[in-house]
């Protein structure tokens, strides 16, 4: 076996596992334990669906302008509610970090920080109410309970699968599950809105100037993570992994017997 073949079968899976494991652990833990600032319309949608309790005036979680601080994971719930038509309005501004009041979007593995996750039809820019003729996700997610369940499921999946990749245990399964997570994120945030609006370039790329990093950066990040996850599905964990210890070596021992 040549040096390049050895590196391909040993080093490459390890690098992929470490990069993806750190990325998804960071993303999942951030959703679970960090907070973000929601605009008034977003907070109202979450409160109406009993996902959060609207903090009272003077509370640390009630900010100027009616903005509310809550866990980042509720950004996924908000996206599902609006995607299913369960929210009264689409997000009017990107979520921002709870640690500062800047207007920069809150970024994550793609589940947050994208404005307008459903498609507005017959819309007047002066209207505060938004009406939708098509939805991104099934109406099942229009209920607050289901939106919360799937938001936390995505969060926990990132944490558990990310840790599994770091340890190299059940690597192919973890890689496949995370590829589904990233595919869903891409549909909800970048691909789906453009497809439903009939504005997608080449049938699937987000609408806009394709040479503008602001248009494609999130989509390309999501695609890169999805592709890396699928590579691990094909290659497996590599030699320095619990998969090798628990499964390959055990199989070899059983064959010798």
């Amino acid at each position: 076996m040549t040096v390049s073949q050895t590196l391909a079968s040993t080093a490459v899976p390890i690098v992929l596992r470490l990069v993806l494991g750190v990325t998804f652990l960071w993303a999942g833990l951030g959703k679970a334990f960090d907070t973000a600032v929601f605009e008034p319309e977003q907070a109202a949608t979450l409160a109406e669906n009993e996902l959060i309790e609207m903090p009272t005036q003077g509370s640390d979680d009630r900010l100027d302008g009616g903005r509310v601080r809550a866990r980042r994971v509720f950004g996924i719930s908000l996206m599902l509610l609006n995607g299913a038509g369960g929210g009264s309005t689409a997000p009017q501004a990107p979520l921002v970090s709870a640690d500062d009041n800047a207007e920069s979007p809150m970024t994550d593995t793609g589940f947050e920080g994208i404005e307008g996750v459903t498609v507005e039809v017959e819309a007047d820019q002066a209207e505060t109410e938004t009406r939708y003729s098509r939805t991104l996700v099934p109406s099942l997610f229009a209920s607050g309970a289901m939106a919360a369940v799937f938001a936390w499921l995505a969060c926990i999946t990132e944490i558990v699968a990310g840790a599994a990749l770091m340890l190299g245990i059940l690597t192919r399964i973890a890689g496949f599950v995370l590829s589904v997570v990233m595919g869903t994120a891409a549909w909800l945030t970048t691909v789906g809105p453009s497809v439903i609006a009939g504005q997608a370039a080449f049938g699937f790329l987000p609408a806009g100037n394709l040479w503008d990093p602001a248009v494609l950066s999130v989509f390309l990040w999501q695609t890169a993570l999805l592709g890396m996850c699928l590579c691990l599905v094909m290659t497996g964990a590599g030699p320095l992994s619990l998969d090798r210890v628990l499964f390959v070596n055990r199989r070899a021992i059983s064959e010798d017997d």
Side-chain angles (χ1 to χ4, degrees):
M1 183 179 292
T2 65
V3 173
S4 61
Q5 290 173 328
T6 301
L7 290 175
S9 61
T10 58
V12 171
I14 295 172
V15 172
L16 286 175
R17 280 173 37 216
L18 292 177
V19 171
L20 290 172
V22 169
T23 300
F24 283 105
L25 272 175
W26 165 78
L29 292 173
K31 291 184 182 73
F33 298 107
D34 193 21
T35 56
V37 175
F38 293 84
E39 295 300 319
E41 296 86 352
Q42 298 171 330
T45 296
L46 293 174
E48 288 169 4
N49 287 275
E50 300 182 348
L51 294 175
I52 65 171
E53 291 186 7
M54 192 66 75
T56 58
Q57 289 291 347
S59 169
D60 291 339
D61 293 331
R62 188 69 176 262
L63 307 179
D64 294 339
R67 297 187 297 173
V68 171
R69 182 185 287 111
R71 291 184 186 272
R72 286 178 180 264
V73 70
F74 292 121
I76 304 177
S77 299
L78 181 68
M79 191 176 305
L80 292 170
L81 285 169
N82 285 320
S88 58
T89 61
Q92 299 299 310
L95 304 178
V96 299
S97 172
D99 296 329
D100 60 71
N101 291 323
E103 293 302 322
S104 58
M106 179 182 73
T107 58
D108 208 318
T109 54
F111 270 121
E112 298 162 356
I114 304 300
E115 184 174 357
V117 297
T118 53
V119 179
E120 184 177 354
V121 295
E122 299 178 2
D124 188 309
Q125 294 298 326
E127 293 180 350
T128 57
E129 291 296 320
T130 306
R131 298 183 299 276
Y132 307 101
S133 64
R134 301 175 65 186
T135 58
L136 292 175
V137 296
S139 58
L140 168 71
F141 297 100
S143 74
M146 293 306 299
V149 167
F150 278 89
W152 279 106
L153 182 61
C155 174
I156 294 171
T157 297
E158 289 181 342
I159 296 172
V160 174
L165 292 184
M166 294 282 289
L167 297 173
I169 180 71
L170 302 176
T171 303
R172 285 188 166 91
I173 295 174
F176 176 77
V177 170
L178 289 173
S179 70
V180 173
V181 170
M182 291 314 305
T184 304
W187 172 255
L188 286 173
T189 60
T190 54
V191 177
S194 295
V195 169
I196 289 181
Q199 299 173 348
F202 304 106
F204 70 97
L205 291 177
N209 179 8
L210 298 183
W211 299 110
D212 185 355
V215 174
L216 280 184
S217 59
V218 174
F219 171 74
L220 292 177
W221 185 23
Q222 293 165 338
T223 304
L225 291 176
L226 189 155
M228 293 165 69
C229 290
L230 291 178
C231 285
L232 280 179
V233 174
M234 293 180 281
T235 65
L240 297 178
S241 64
L242 290 179
D243 282 343
R244 179 61 61 92
V245 174
L246 296 176
F247 301 115
V248 176
N249 291 345
R250 180 178 297 179
R251 187 183 306 123
I253 294 173
S254 62
E255 289 176 354
D256 290 341
D257 293 341

